[in-house]
Amino acid sequence: MFGMDTLGKTASQLINSFESGVRLTQQNLETWLGDTGVMDDAKLATMSEISDAYRAMAEDLLLHPLRFAGAELDLAKKHMALGYYTLARLSGKARNPVAEPESDDRRFQAEDWHKYLPFDVLHQAYLINSRAFLNWVGAMEVLPQTGRDQMLFYARQLTSALSPSNFPASNPEVLRITWERKGMNLVDGCRQLVEDVRQNPALFNVGMTDRSAFEVGRNLATTPGKVIYQNELMQLIQYSPSTETVSQRPLLIVPPWINKFYILDLTAKKSFIQWLVDQGQTVFIISWRNPGPEHRDKGWEDYMQLGPLAAMDAVTEATGEDRMNVIGYCIGGTLLGSTLAWLKKKRRNPVVSATYLTTLLDFSDPGGIGVFINEHSVRGIERMLARKGYLDGRAMAFTFNLLRENELFWSFWTNNYLKGERPAAFDILYWNTDGTNLPAKMHSFYLREMYLNNRLVQPDSLTLAGESINLSEIDVPSYFLSARQDHIAKWKATYKGALAHGGDVQFVLSGSGHIAGVINPPYKEKYGYWTNNNLVADADEWFAGSEQSPGSWWPHWLEWIARFSGQQVPARIPGDGKLPVIEDAPGSYVRVKAAKAAG
């Protein structure tokens, strides 16, 4: 026992000395590579985080050899069982597989993986090894939970990348297709790879949809309307009515600027905006500009003043109504909460009700993106932002894809480049690849003050345009819609934000995720939603006491907002108010691609 303790202490001392030297060398290398432009600072920070994660794994191996030996013994038992399985199949005996994919793992669903023994054994061995590795990492004691989550993320990226399904020689389905097509699938795949690289110069993203099948304004974002106001950060669209009368109070939507607004206006049947218009709402929406280096100094305050505040004034000019209902989606909801708290300090009350769609106000649990949120990573991103003046929207899209890497990266890699298949035309995936850049000042503030320091829910901790803000002082009635499988704005985290919000709060939980949970038209009759008017302190307790309803949350919200919509008035035509028409919807700002905006 004494010998093991001494060995452990010696190993710990050696590790600490080695780590100090490595960190100093790493910092100097990062500075040199960043200064020389060999690699941008955000990528350097990511590479550094990866190296830290794998070094921590090595430290755990040295400090806890018995635990590692136990894991190795368990792994050996599973491989022995796989050996017995192999012998049974060779002798023609039926035997249950040792390892089977999860129900949502589509990598090994093809019959070829099970029909041919070598590939059957290969994919089971991969599953055994990858699960053992991830279980070992998950049980580490070196780091706190946040560090362990980060290690698990990078370990998962490694195991996913090494899957036999990603290589032509170890994928029986690809080998069969190659034989049947005489290799033309690989030729077609190479052509697609070259095209995808050409579409994303200096920043590769796998092709996810047939880009030629969609065009904004032709078959996406087609709800009729007009741009009636614009400034350097946004255009404001007013949609044409489809009913003879409309609600007295107009409805303003503040969408996210991390992606484009037309997620709310895809095809006509999926369009939340078209549905709102058909329900007799006078709908306005902000279409954010796709910023470039010249917008580097635009901060959170600018987005507030030139976004919802400017839009509220424009809505009043266009309709003559000085009070309105407002919807905020994702980061647009975060901005809406900031704006309402600022308006309260100013004793201004233009908003009758606020609706938050999958919105984080409390960032204590940032979801999957939390693996990238720490002081070191944020500093690296800030150095890159200082050099370039913006964050490339394509990099943001790639980052989100890695949160579900097998579904949103490697499946397309295999289908596009190994099988030679053209990606299907899918409107949501087209929208997902149509990214937006983020100005340096705004993005730095968002990462540091919201994600890293979680200051939005701290009373009077943030100051915007000369006023400290306090969410609890907001007295506007609010409707919070969250999604149960949301991995970006986790519903229990959004629930904490609802608790921090003042006024009468209605919390509703939809099925599905960040997009499908919101874009869920009633005709689909999918997912369902949960309601509970008793907003208790604990999210699990709220859910236990909730009532589930089938179908879409949209009609439930419409019933809620009817209390704040006023009387019926004659339908409003865009351009009939004090603001003239500038151009047809969806406007010109939404058509600008991230690469073009970046110059």
Side-chain angles (χ1 to χ4, degrees), residues 100-398:
E100 294 187 270
E102 300 293 338
S103 58
D104 59 348
D105 187 348
R106 296 180 293 176
R107 292 175 294 177
F108 308 110
Q109 286 184 347
E111 180 60 28
D112 304 76
W113 288 102
H114 314 283
K115 180 179 180 180
Y116 303 106
L117 180 59
F119 297 105
D120 187 9
V121 174
L122 176 64
H123 94 271
Q124 287 194 59
Y126 163 76
L127 291 173
I128 291 169
N129 292 333
S130 60
R131 287 169 182 170
F133 180 52
L134 294 175
N135 288 338
W136 171 60
V137 172
M140 283 185 180
E141 303 171 0
V142 173
L143 294 176
Q145 185 60 45
T146 53
R148 192 176 296 113
D149 289 343
Q150 189 180 54
M151 284 195 297
L152 270 171
F153 172 80
Y154 290 121
R156 204 183 71 230
Q157 301 307 314
L158 178 64
T159 58
S160 296
L162 294 176
S163 170
S165 59
N166 299 333
F167 305 95
S170 55
N171 187 324
E173 191 179 8
V174 171
L175 290 174
R176 174 177 54 78
I177 292 171
T178 303
W179 175 262
E180 292 171 351
R181 295 193 56 196
K182 298 180 172 57
M184 287 306 297
N185 57 305
L186 299 177
V187 174
D188 292 341
C190 285
R191 288 187 184 132
Q192 288 192 69
L193 179 60
V194 171
E195 175 63 17
D196 288 339
V197 171
R198 189 186 67 80
Q199 289 279 349
N200 295 282
L203 191 61
F204 173 72
N205 272 346
V206 64
M208 302 176 72
T209 186
D210 180 2
R211 299 182 186 91
S212 64
F214 299 103
E215 183 183 348
V216 173
R218 178 175 62 85
N219 55 1
L220 296 174
T222 58
T223 300
K226 307 290 182 182
V227 175
I228 49 93
Y229 173 83
Q230 69 181 36
N231 58 37
E232 56 185 317
L233 275 186
M234 65 92 170
Q235 290 186 319
L236 185 67
I237 300 170
Q238 178 182 354
Y239 289 96
S240 302
S242 62
T243 55
E244 291 185 1
T245 62
V246 295
S247 298
Q248 175 189 352
R249 292 192 176 119
L251 177 66
L252 170 64
I253 302 176
V254 184
W257 57 89
I258 290 176
N259 290 99
K260 295 182 178 178
F261 81 86
Y262 65 86
I263 187 61
L264 297 170
D265 189 25
L266 292 169
T267 57
K269 290 186 70 176
K270 294 180 182 177
S271 175
F272 184 53
I273 291 172
Q274 183 66 67
W275 182 82
L276 290 171
V277 170
D278 292 342
Q279 307 312 307
Q281 297 288 332
T282 303
V283 181
F284 295 80
I285 194 167
I286 291 172
S287 173
W288 296 102
R289 187 169 198 157
N290 207 336
E294 69 275 18
H295 300 101
R296 64 184 304 132
D297 294 323
K298 295 300 180 187
W300 193 264
E301 293 176 338
D302 298 295
Y303 270 77
M304 180 181 74
Q305 293 173 317
L306 297 174
L309 290 177
M312 289 174 194
D313 291 340
V315 169
T316 296
E317 285 197 72
T319 64
E321 295 290 334
D322 58 1
R323 305 202 71 201
M324 64 202 72
N325 299 300
V326 185
I327 296 176
Y329 188 2
C330 189
I331 190 176
T334 310
L335 182 64
L336 174 59
S338 305
T339 304
L340 292 179
W342 184 88
L343 285 168
K344 183 64 180 177
K345 291 287 189 180
K346 288 293 187 179
R347 298 182 181 179
R348 293 172 54 187
N349 194 26
V351 178
V352 182
S353 77
T355 298
Y356 297 91
L357 306 179
T358 60
T359 293
L360 284 173
L361 297 178
D362 185 315
F363 288 77
S364 57
D365 184 358
I369 199 71
V371 297
F372 303 106
I373 305 299
N374 56 68
E375 182 63 38
H376 182 248
S377 293
V378 171
R379 280 203 311 269
I381 293 171
E382 287 174 335
R383 289 196 301 267
M384 181 271 292
L385 291 171
R387 294 177 195 277
K388 297 177 66 176
Y390 67 96
L391 177 71
D392 195 309
R394 295 169 296 166
M396 178 69 73
F398 183 73

Side-chain angles (χ1 to χ4, degrees), residues 542-553:
W542 177 91
F543 185 75
S546 67
E547 178 183 351
Q548 185 178 7
S549 300
S552 172
W553 62 273

